[in-house]
């Protein structure tokens, strides 16, 4: 299967996984009202008596439920837990974390609200009857983690009984993405689907769905041989058969996978590790296509294939190899398209349309922000790139559009696509292009890992953060502290797997660092012995010296001391690159949209020159994340209204400075936060405003305003709908980040990632620092 986040994936620890699920509000979901409910009038409109009006409208016209309720953007993720991940029959309750996770993926990738429903029965009829009556609540049903052959019966019966899409993703999600990859692999090797021979290893839900869809796309039935653990499924076989396997029985003399694979063009594996051997691969046709999709360990590793057949195209279900067959490329966008035209079902034509759209997208040029996340690997259509990567922002438009159009053409849509251009625009605005920015940064860093110094290494959360940084593949953590204490602490905590963790003890002899610091500070009245004391006792200064010397690429500090104390120490060691000084840029992730706020950490009352510089740097960063920057200089007033005579007009002056310099991004001000963030309000009251959409960069007039706004948001975030990251320091000669003293393990790791990502593979300061 394509699940790679299995219990065997040791890049995360059990403690980290449990902490994430239990911290704050337990679980991964919450219900949030979409309408204001602040006054009695609001309540009267939303509930009694106002709610009666849409109720009566829906009674008279059931389809209007899509207009007056959330049904049109709501999917139920339903399971009985009989086939959870690769863990087997855990039961409905133990499967709930997975179902919540699936709901989160729907929201993250396609802006679909999903709710998980765990049904506590293994009886097929009871399960069907539990689900069939839920149709009025949802626009679609995503069945998940149900064992075969039960899943075949359940899905078929529910599709017959319900007038909304019912989709078992373990079957069809895998099949759609695999078909897309196969389309491109065939095109690259000069083959036609109707001419090739396909051998399938595995006869479970996903394997049979894959071969069903491939046949529906044009593969002749007698060109496919399916094998299960007993051997080839041939005509006349009695052992281990059922009606779904029998549909794929062929007239053949082959009885084993080794027999069947001889001369085959395509191998499709959804079975077990080691099912396909290099000796079998040698017997395949020229330029073989091998999809080894068992997870976490495929039927054969790509390097094993290429050792005997360098001409092969290989795909797996894993992210650490090219050509990952990943369900997340399919199900969110397929449901998006189906919901948007109010489809009654997801039929074969819609699945094939989704596969074709995926295949065609892989043939297009890859956006720079996506390609830059994979340095050293060229994301261009070819044997190692037959499918888009999961964080490609074009998926949200390409796949739903194809599915919606197919639904209309095949007559299963309740609503036509009257304006295709408008629908494409709506899809683009579903998710901010920068919503996957952190994912892309992480991919970039895994491809070019860095050495990062972590101060406060004697604390548990620092040690756990450092180990998490290393185990995630981001690089080598160097923890700062007394080595003896750190090793005792690791032993007391029972933390294992510390290979790759380095310890730097400031109490050891570091005369080179002392001399370096003395050269920087001696003309500020600092004595040599004072420099020695700072090197041996101040972890922030020690980490800064390591960074300045190039012994580490970046540093993270602040967990044990206040921001300004740490910043002053960092400034003693690391020069400022920008003429306007270092400043803090806070990243807000609000309901899938990224917004930057500056300056959130350093300058109490920035000058107009500094405000303009903040805007330039933030705009460069936003562009690097794949979004067009729109800068608003904020104030208590809009475009000069009610300005106090004594108030300095720094925001307006900053706009003038950008005008003079010919800045090539959108900016305007001064304006209130309400106008900056509410585009309808902006267009209605201030049509002359230069911004073409809501601002995504907010330049604050003072540190007080910036700090209070972001801290209030941090205190009220409470969910994935709003996340605050930072302040992220910009403008220093070398990357250094300062975390809040309240930072947990995940926040420390995130800041370490941001620090490390500010240096490219050559060691030069990144685009933002040089802006």
């Amino acid at each position: 299967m394509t699940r790679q986040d299995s219990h065997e994936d040791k890049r995360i620890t059990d403690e980290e996984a449990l902490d994430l699920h239990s911290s704050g509000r337990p679980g991964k979901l919450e219900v949030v009202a979409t309408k204001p409910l602040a006054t009695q009038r609001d309540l009267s409109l939303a509930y009694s008596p106002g709610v009666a009006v849409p109720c009566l409208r829906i009674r008279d016209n059931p389809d209007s439920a899509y207009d007056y309720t959330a049904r049109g953007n709501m999917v139920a993720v339903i399971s009985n837990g009989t086939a959870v991940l690769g863990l087997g029959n855990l039961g409905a309750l133990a499967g709930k974390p997975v179902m919540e996770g699936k709901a989160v993926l729907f929201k993250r990738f396609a802006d679909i609200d999903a709710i998980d429903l765990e049904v506590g029965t293994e009886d097929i009829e009871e399960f069907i009857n539990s689900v069939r009556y839920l149709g009025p609540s949802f626009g679609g049903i995503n069945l998940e983690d149900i064992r075969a052959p039960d899943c075949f019966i359940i899905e078929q019966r529910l599709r017959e009984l319900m007038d909304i899409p019912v989709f078992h993703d373990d079957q069809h999600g895998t099949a759609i993405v695999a078909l897309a990859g196969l389309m491109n692999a065939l095109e690259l090797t000069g083959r036609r689907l109707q001419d090739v021979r396909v051998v399938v290893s595995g006869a479970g839900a996903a394997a049979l769905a894959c071969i069903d869809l491939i046949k529906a796309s044009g593969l002749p039935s007698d060109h496919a041989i399916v094998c299960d653990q007993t051997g080839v499924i041939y005509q006349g076989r009695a052992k281990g058969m059922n009606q779904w396997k029998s549909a794929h029985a062929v007239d053949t003399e082959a009885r084993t996978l080794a027999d069947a694979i001889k001369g085959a063009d395509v191998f499709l594996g959804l079975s077990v590790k080691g099912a396909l051997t290099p000796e079998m691969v040698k017997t395949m046709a020229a330029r073989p296509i091998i999809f080894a999709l068992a997870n976490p360990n495929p039927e054969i590793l790509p390097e094993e294939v290429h050792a005997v057949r360098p001409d092969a195209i290989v795909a797996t279900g894993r992210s650490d190899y090219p050509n990952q067959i990943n369900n997340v490329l399919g199900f969110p966008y397929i449901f998006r398209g189906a919901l948007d035209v109010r489809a009654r079902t997801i039929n074969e034509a819609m699945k094939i349309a989704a596969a074709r759209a995926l295949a065609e997208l892989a043939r297009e040029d890859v956006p720079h922000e996506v390609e830059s996340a994979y340095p050293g690997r060229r994301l261009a259509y070819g044997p190692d790139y037959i499918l888009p990567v999961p964080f490609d922002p074009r998926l949200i438009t390409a796949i739903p559009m194809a599915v919606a159009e197919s639904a209309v053409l095949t007559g299963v849509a309740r609503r036509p696509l009257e304006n295709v251009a408008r629908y494409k625009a709506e899809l683009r605005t579903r998710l901010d292009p920068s919503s996957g920015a952190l994912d892309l940064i992480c991919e970039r860093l895994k491809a070019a890992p860095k050495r990062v110094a972590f101060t406060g290494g004697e604390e548990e959360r620092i040690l756990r953060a450092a180990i998490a940084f290393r185990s995630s593949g981001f690089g080598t953590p160097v923890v700062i502290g007394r080595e003896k204490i750190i090793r005792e602490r690791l032993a007391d905590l029972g933390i294992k797997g510390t290979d790759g963790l380095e310890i730097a003890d400031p109490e050891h002899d570091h005369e080179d660092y002392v001399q370096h610091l003395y050269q920087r500070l001696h003309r500020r009245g600092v004595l040599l012995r004072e420099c020695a004391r700072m090197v041996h006792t101040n972890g922030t200064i020690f980490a800064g010296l390591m960074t300045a010397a190039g012994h580490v690429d970046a540093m993270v500090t602040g967990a044990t001391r206040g921001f300004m104390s740490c910043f002053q120490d960092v400034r003693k060691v690391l020069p400022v690159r920008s003429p306007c000084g270092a400043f803090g840029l806070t990243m807000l992730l609000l309901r899938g949209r990224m917004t930057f706020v500056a300056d959130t950490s350093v300058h109490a009352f920035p000058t107009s020159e500094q405000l303009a510089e903040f805007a330039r740097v933030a705009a460069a960063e936003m562009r690097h994340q794949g979004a067009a920057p729109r800068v608003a200089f904020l104030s208590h007033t809009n475009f000069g209204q009610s300005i106090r005579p004594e108030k300095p007009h720094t925001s307006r002056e900053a706009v003038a400075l950008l005008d003079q310099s010919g800045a090539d991004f959108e900016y305007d001000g001064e304006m209130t936060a309400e106008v900056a963030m509410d585009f309808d309000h902006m267009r209605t009251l201030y049509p002359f405003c230069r911004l073409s959409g809501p601002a995504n960069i907010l330049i604050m007039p003072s540190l007080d305003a910036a700090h209070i706004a972001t801290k209030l948001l941090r205190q009220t975030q409470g969910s994935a709908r709003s996340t605050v990251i930072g302040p992220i320091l910009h403008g220093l000669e070398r990357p250094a980040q300062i975390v809040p003293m309240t930072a947990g393990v995940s926040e420390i790791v995130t800041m370490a990632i941001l620090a490390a990502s500010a240096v490219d593979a050559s060691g030069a300061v990144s685009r933002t620092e040089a802006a």
Side-chain angles (χ1 to χ4, degrees):
M1 292 294 290
T2 60
R3 307 285 186 85
Q4 72 180 72
D5 299 323
S6 76
H7 64 298
E8 296 185 32
D9 187 345
K10 294 306 180 185
R11 289 175 298 174
I12 61 172
T13 65
D14 293 351
E15 290 80 6
E16 286 179 285
L18 294 173
D19 285 347
L20 182 142
H21 286 81
S22 63
S23 61
R25 185 183 300 221
K28 299 187 284 283
L29 299 173
E30 67 174 341
V31 175
V32 177
T34 60
K35 302 296 187 291
L37 300 172
T39 67
Q40 182 60 48
R41 176 176 172 76
D42 294 337
L43 294 174
S44 297
L45 287 168
Y47 196 53
S48 182
V51 74
V53 181
C55 289
L56 295 174
R57 290 289 177 92
I58 294 169
R59 180 199 61 185
D60 296 337
N61 176 18
D63 281 353
S64 67
Y66 288 97
D67 300 315
Y68 299 120
T69 74
R71 186 190 190 205
N73 197 51
M74 182 74 71
V75 167
V77 179
I78 305 181
S79 177
N80 62 1
T82 52
V84 178
L85 295 176
L87 305 174
N89 187 352
L90 299 185
L93 185 58
K96 184 174 174 62
V98 178
M99 303 312 123
E100 285 188 0
K102 193 65 173 274
V104 169
L105 293 179
F106 269 110
K107 190 65 178 179
R108 163 64 179 80
F109 287 101
D111 192 30
I112 291 172
D113 296 315
I115 189 73
D116 63 295
L117 298 173
E118 290 72 37
V119 181
T121 181
E122 296 184 18
D123 182 274
I124 292 175
E125 291 302 321
E126 289 180 351
F127 186 96
I128 290 170
N129 283 324
S130 296
V131 176
R132 63 180 295 190
Y133 299 113
L134 297 175
S137 299
F138 301 99
I141 302 291
N142 183 98
L143 299 175
E144 193 79 10
D145 289 355
I146 303 170
R147 68 188 172 199
D150 298 8
C151 59
F152 303 131
I153 302 170
I154 288 169
E155 185 191 44
Q156 182 59 39
R157 291 277 306 283
L158 288 174
R159 289 183 67 181
E160 294 168 357
L161 292 167
M162 304 181 78
D163 67 344
I164 58 174
V166 178
F167 185 87
H168 185 214
D169 184 51
D170 298 324
Q171 296 179 60
H172 309 300
T174 304
I176 290 164
V177 181
L179 175 59
L182 180 60
M183 288 175 174
N184 281 340
L186 291 172
E187 198 271 343
L188 287 166
T189 56
R191 294 175 167 103
R192 299 188 311 162
L193 185 59
Q194 55 265 43
D195 298 330
V196 299
R197 284 189 53 231
V198 178
V199 174
V200 181
S201 175
L208 295 183
C210 283
I211 197 60
D212 279 338
L213 193 61
I214 293 170
K215 287 180 177 180
S217 301
L219 179 75
S221 292
D222 59 352
H223 284 209
I225 294 178
V226 178
C227 304
D228 62 9
Q229 59 188 1
T230 301
V232 170
I233 296 174
Y234 59 88
Q235 289 181 1
R237 192 183 112 174
K239 183 179 180 181
M241 295 295 286
N242 56 42
Q243 68 187 77
W244 298 279
K245 292 182 183 181
S246 296
H248 299 285
V250 293
D251 184 7
T252 178
E253 296 298 319
R255 292 296 181 264
T256 66
L257 178 60
D259 294 336
I261 202 72
K262 292 175 182 176
D265 299 282
V266 179
F267 169 83
L268 176 61
L270 292 118
S271 52
V272 295
K273 175 185 178 181
L276 184 67
T277 67
E279 289 69 28
M280 295 181 193
V281 174
K282 289 179 183 179
T283 69
M284 293 181 70
R287 302 195 72 185
I289 298 167
I290 297 172
F291 283 17
L293 307 185
N295 248 347
N297 301 304
E299 286 82 359
I300 189 169
L301 293 172
E303 56 265 31
E304 294 177 305
V305 173
H306 290 132
V308 296
R309 296 299 296 271
D311 59 339
I313 293 179
V314 185
T316 70
R318 289 170 48 158
S319 63
D320 52 347
Y321 289 105
N323 299 330
Q324 184 190 17
I325 306 297
N326 191 335
N327 285 26
V328 81
L329 293 171
F331 72 85
Y333 311 109
I334 293 162
F335 269 97
R336 178 76 275 155
L339 291 173
D340 289 340
V341 294
R342 303 174 184 176
R344 294 180 175 86
T345 187
I346 295 174
N347 57 30
E348 295 299 289
M350 294 162 71
K351 298 172 193 174
I352 293 171
R356 285 199 181 114
L358 262 177
E360 290 168 3
L361 186 59
R363 301 175 192 181
E364 298 179 9
D365 291 337
V366 178
H368 171 73
E369 67 273 12
V370 175
E371 189 170 27
S372 65
Y374 300 86
R377 178 184 164 198
R378 188 163 181 264
L379 297 188
Y381 182 52
D384 287 335
Y385 183 77
I386 59 175
L387 286 167
V389 292
F391 306 123
D392 192 321
R394 300 170 299 171
L395 289 164
I396 188 62
T397 53
I399 314 308
M401 174 58 70
V403 171
E405 288 180 327
S406 180
V408 172
L409 288 173
T410 55
V412 299
R414 290 183 176 89
R415 184 169 74 173
L417 274 177
E418 295 177 347
N419 190 321
V420 171
R422 182 187 300 166
Y423 180 49
K424 284 184 177 179
E426 289 173 357
L427 288 171
R428 280 194 293 269
T429 59
R430 280 282 179 182
L431 297 174
D432 190 313
S434 60
S435 61
L438 288 178
D439 297 315
L440 293 174
I441 289 170
C442 290
E443 292 299 314
R444 233 177 264 138
L445 191 55
K446 288 177 184 177
K450 299 293 187 291
R451 291 170 55 82
V452 176
F454 291 74
T455 68
E458 295 168 22
E459 284 215 355
E460 176 182 351
R461 60 190 165 132
I462 301 298
L463 291 174
R464 293 195 182 279
I467 291 168
F469 182 86
R470 187 264 306 157
S471 62
S472 297
F474 299 133
T476 301
V478 181
V479 293
I480 310 301
R482 291 169 292 178
E483 183 171 5
K484 181 175 181 294
I485 302 298
I486 290 173
R487 295 201 180 280
E488 290 175 353
R489 188 67 171 152
L490 287 168
D492 291 342
L493 294 171
I495 297 177
K496 300 178 181 179
T498 58
D499 292 343
L501 179 73
E502 297 183 13
I503 299 172
D505 190 337
E507 292 186 347
H508 294 170
D509 180 28
H510 296 287
E511 184 58 30
D512 52 340
Y513 288 172
V514 174
Q515 289 299 326
H516 181 97
L517 184 62
Y518 184 61
Q519 290 302 312
R520 282 191 56 80
L521 301 181
H522 69 282
R523 289 193 173 273
R524 301 186 205 173
V526 180
L527 301 177
L528 180 62
R529 64 172 179 266
E530 292 177 296
C531 290
R533 178 185 54 78
M534 284 189 279
V535 168
H536 295 309
T537 62
N538 189 314
T540 300
I541 285 179
F542 186 84
L545 289 165
M546 292 190 75
T547 308
H551 297 155
V552 294
D553 298 298
M555 62 171 285
V556 176
T557 187
T560 59
R561 298 170 61 215
F563 179 93
M564 194 49 65
S565 296
C566 290
F567 179 71
Q568 290 169 350
D569 287 339
V570 167
R571 285 284 291 108
K572 291 174 184 174
V573 185
L574 299 179
V576 170
R577 173 181 293 269
S578 169
C580 289
F583 73 98
L585 187 65
T586 293
M587 180 189 300
L588 309 179
L589 300 176
L590 306 173
R591 300 189 66 179
R593 298 186 180 278
M594 177 181 287
T595 302
F596 291 145
V597 181
D599 169 20
T600 53
S601 60
V602 179
H603 300 279
F605 296 102
T607 65
S608 54
E609 290 80 8
Q610 288 172 328
L611 293 177
E613 181 67 11
F614 301 162
R616 291 189 190 97
V617 174
E621 183 66 28
M622 185 61 75
R623 275 188 174 142
H624 190 74
Q625 306 305 344
R630 294 185 296 273
V631 179
F633 290 88
L634 295 192
S635 176
H636 73 287
T637 185
N638 288 299
F639 303 103
Q641 292 180 338
S642 304
I643 288 290
R644 299 191 306 273
E646 71 277 10
K647 180 181 180 293
H649 301 175
T650 50
S651 295
R652 275 191 277 171
E653 292 166 1
V655 171
L657 288 172
L658 291 177
D659 288 343
Q660 294 168 14
S661 66
D664 62 349
F665 53 87
E666 293 182 19
Y667 58 91
D668 211 343
E670 52 204 349
M671 66 182 76
T672 62
E674 178 187 20
V675 170
M677 303 300 286
D678 187 335
F679 189 51
D680 289 336
H681 197 57
M682 183 192 301
R683 284 186 300 182
T684 301
L685 295 180
Y686 307 101
F688 56 84
C689 184
R690 304 170 182 175
L691 303 188
S692 62
N696 53 18
I697 298 172
L698 308 177
I699 306 299
M700 295 290 192
S702 70
L703 180 59
D704 281 347
H707 194 269
I708 291 169
T710 54
K711 289 295 183 182
L712 279 174
L713 186 57
R714 184 187 296 275
Q715 289 301 312
T716 58
Q717 63 184 63
S719 76
R721 291 166 60 89
S722 57
T723 301
V724 182
I725 300 173
I728 305 163
L729 271 179
H730 287 262
L732 293 172
E733 188 74 31
R734 301 286 295 175
Q737 296 301 337
I738 303 172
V739 302
M741 285 195 292
T742 55
V745 171
S746 293
E747 188 171 0
I748 296 168
V749 173
T750 297
M751 293 300 283
I753 290 168
L754 293 172
S757 68
V759 179
D760 63 26
S762 66
V765 175
S766 78
R767 79 279 161 195
T768 303
E769 304 303 335

